[in-house]
Amino acid sequence: MSLSDTPVAPTTTLKPSLAGMTRAEIADALRALGLPEREIRMRVSQIWHWVYFRGARDFGEMLNVSKAMRAQLTEAFALRLPEIIEEQISVDGTRKWLLRLQPVDAFDKGAEVECVYIPESDRGTLCVSSQVGCTLNCSFCHTGTQRLVRNLTTAEIVGQLLVARQRLGDFPDRERPTDGLVPAGEGVRAVSNIVFMGMGEPLYNLDNVMAAIEIMADGDGLALSKRRITVSTSGVVPQFERLGAECGPALAISLHAVRDELRNDLVPLNKKYPIKELLQACRDYPGASNARRITFEYVMLKGVNDSPADARELVRLLKGLPAKINLIPFNPWPGAPYECSDWETIERFSDIVFNAGYASPVRTPRGRDIFAACGQLKSETEKLRASARMAAG
Ligand code: SAH
Ligand code: SF4
């Protein structure tokens, strides 16, 4: 089902889209249009406000911009977003969107990425992609089996948030949809958190990811707190310093194993940056503190990494680090060489982690019906929910 009226057209006929641009890029675009230098700053602020704060889809909406200027902007530019080509809504309110990106040339039908929205009662998390596919080949990850097509641009990353806010009525004076569980209430935004846990390795596209975060966190626009933006990495150690010092989002590490031998298998990047180096880079991550903990993700693979000894070693390794641990039940995919750990095993693992002082350890699987994943774990999922609530409360 197509929810957008934007047809895919060859780039040659497309006007540059200001939606997703940085302030500097918008200024350059206006300069190219011949606007006098003294006017540019003000125009950038106006456009910024309309696109990122109000969610305008048309230059005609920009009422504090003169009519002549609006016509000039319409003539020269567009406010184009990635197109939702498919939307699936889970019984738990999770939405998965398949987005088609703007074609790069006349022959390109437009690359596609996935973006997932996960509503909870007091927050809404948008899981965004940073690349089309991924060059790393983690053995348990479906994305890793696809060949990398390309890095996403800054505008395409920001575009995922803009599309989500448009679709969810998450701009001032817009209606929230009633066909799902979108959080409502005074001052509660439908999208309050971002996680870079969709397709791709964000630290292999660091410049665009950081530029996108700066736009998402801009107080005059999309206004998400950097503390609520989490970048998840499989461990591209040399990039941690820049990410922390220049941008400062929350960091999540896909650890998944406590011994190098096993981690080399699961996350092959470990051969380049082994566990010891990875954890040192975490200790050195600028801004990490007990108030700003690093999340360690650990996917539960039956008989592979889920023993009590693994749990005890995990706790030992993270000692002294400001850490949170997130246990992720494995989501199977066709041909996957693993199974999800049994509930009892996850519970035993999570108890060891919990008794060592880490709260909220199990990530509740969401939207399994639309991912067609972990379907056989339905009853276990109910238990996980109760347990996650207890751990959080
Ligand atoms: N490339 C980055 C971010 C995207 S993956 C990274 O690896 O961190 C986001 C998270 O989903 C990672 O922790 C990843 O290990 C995990 N993941 C990948 N495939 C999974 C699967 N089949 N089941 C459960 N978690 C998975
Ligand atoms: Fe998947 Fe992340 Fe590994 Fe890439 S780095 S293959 S996205 S888990």
Side-chain angles (χ1 to χ4, degrees):
M1 171 181 57
S2 174
L3 293 163
S4 161
D5 51 8
T6 319
V8 176
T11 336
T12 42
T13 66
L14 291 177
K15 302 172 194 170
S17 174
L18 301 188
M21 282 192 182
T22 62
R23 283 179 203 272
E25 286 166 344
I26 299 174
D28 283 346
L30 296 178
R31 218 167 267 128
L33 203 61
L35 248 71
E37 206 55 40
R38 63 188 145 72
E39 231 186 84
I40 285 181
R41 230 186 126 104
M42 176 199 50
R43 294 294 181 211
V44 170
S45 294
Q46 288 176 327
I47 292 169
W48 192 268
H49 175 82
W50 282 103
V51 173
Y52 293 127
F53 184 80
R54 293 197 173 272
R57 294 305 320 273
D58 197 301
F59 293 105
E61 292 177 48
M62 304 184 174
L63 294 177
N64 59 347
V65 176
S66 71
K67 215 169 163 187
M69 186 72 225
R70 275 181 289 179
Q72 211 183 344
L73 290 172
T74 308
E75 180 67 27
F77 304 117
L79 296 173
R80 213 174 22 252
L81 299 179
E83 182 194 1
I84 299 181
I85 50 175
E86 196 182 306
E87 176 183 69
Q88 287 171 275
I89 308 181
S90 158
V91 288
D92 69 15
T94 299
R95 287 162 194 259
K96 185 165 84 163
W97 293 301
L98 184 63
L99 302 178
R100 186 187 288 142
L101 307 172
Q102 186 186 314
V104 289
D105 60 37
F107 303 101
D108 181 7
K109 285 209 201 86
E112 290 168 2
V113 288
E114 283 181 350
C115 180
V116 178
Y117 174 67
I118 306 148
E120 290 168 82
S121 57
D122 59 342
R123 69 164 94 175
T125 303
L126 188 70
C127 177
V128 298
S129 294
S130 56
Q131 298 181 307
V132 179
C134 187
T135 50
L136 299 169
N137 294 302
C138 301
S139 54
F140 54 89
C141 175
H142 204 188
T143 308
T145 64
Q146 302 168 17
R147 85 192 159 88
L148 170 70
V149 180
R150 63 177 173 87
N151 277 341
L152 297 193
T153 63
T154 301
E156 288 165 342
I157 298 170
V158 175
Q160 295 171 66
L161 174 55
L162 289 171
V163 163
R165 286 205 158 154
Q166 292 292 350
R167 177 72 190 115
L168 299 170
D170 194 21
F171 284 110
D173 311 322
R174 301 286 181 86
E175 294 273 319
R176 301 259 165 109
T178 51
D179 58 355
L181 311 167
V182 181
E186 195 72 19
V188 179
R189 290 207 77 153
V191 181
S192 58
N193 295 56
I194 300 273
V195 291
F196 282 82
M197 294 183 188
M199 294 163 70
E201 169 48 58
L203 298 196
Y204 276 171
N205 187 15
L206 186 58
D207 288 333
N208 292 342
V209 164
M210 289 201 298
I213 292 174
E214 293 304 334
I215 296 176
M216 291 168 169
D218 188 289
D220 295 327
L222 292 162
L224 275 150
S225 155
K226 281 188 184 169
R227 285 164 187 251
R228 290 168 171 265
I229 301 177
T230 301
V231 172
S232 173
T233 178
S234 54
V236 189
V237 163
Q239 304 286 37
F240 284 25
E241 166 66 25
R242 260 193 83 201
L243 178 72
E246 291 179 28
C247 187
L251 184 65
I253 306 291
S254 294
L255 189 61
H256 308 318
V258 291
R259 287 173 290 112
D260 281 322
E261 204 190 2
L262 177 60
R263 196 164 188 271
N264 287 347
D265 268 0
L266 300 181
V267 185
L269 188 66
N270 192 70
K271 291 180 203 148
K272 223 167 169 179
Y273 310 114
I275 294 175
K276 198 165 167 222
E277 270 181 48
L278 175 61
L279 294 182
Q280 189 54 46
C282 290
R283 287 180 215 284
D284 297 340
Y285 185 66
S289 67
N290 279 335
R292 303 199 63 193
R293 292 169 189 269
I294 296 173
T295 302
F296 288 87
E297 295 158 280
Y298 197 96
V299 65
M300 298 300 295
L301 304 172
K302 188 176 193 164
V304 174
N305 64 353
D306 59 356
S307 73
D310 287 315
R312 285 192 292 272
E313 179 61 8
L314 176 63
V315 167
R316 198 191 65 79
L317 276 179
L318 299 185
K319 211 166 182 168
L321 253 164
K324 286 189 274 199
I325 297 172
N326 214 327
L327 301 181
I328 314 174
F330 171 65
N331 286 319
W333 36 273
Y338 303 103
E339 283 176 72
C340 185
S341 308
D342 302 325
W343 164 245
E344 290 72 22
T345 311
I346 298 181
E347 194 167 55
R348 202 169 49 200
F349 197 103
S350 119
D351 280 349
I352 295 171
V353 165
F354 185 73
N355 290 335
Y358 299 96
S360 263
V362 183
R363 183 186 295 172
T364 311
R366 294 289 303 262
R368 283 164 305 114
D369 51 344
I370 58 171
F371 286 82
C374 280
Q376 75 279 21
L377 287 181
K378 197 168 190 325
S379 56
E380 283 85 348
T381 303
E382 299 309 318
K383 282 194 248 165
L384 289 180
R385 283 215 182 95
S387 149
R389 266 202 307 276
M390 266 161 56

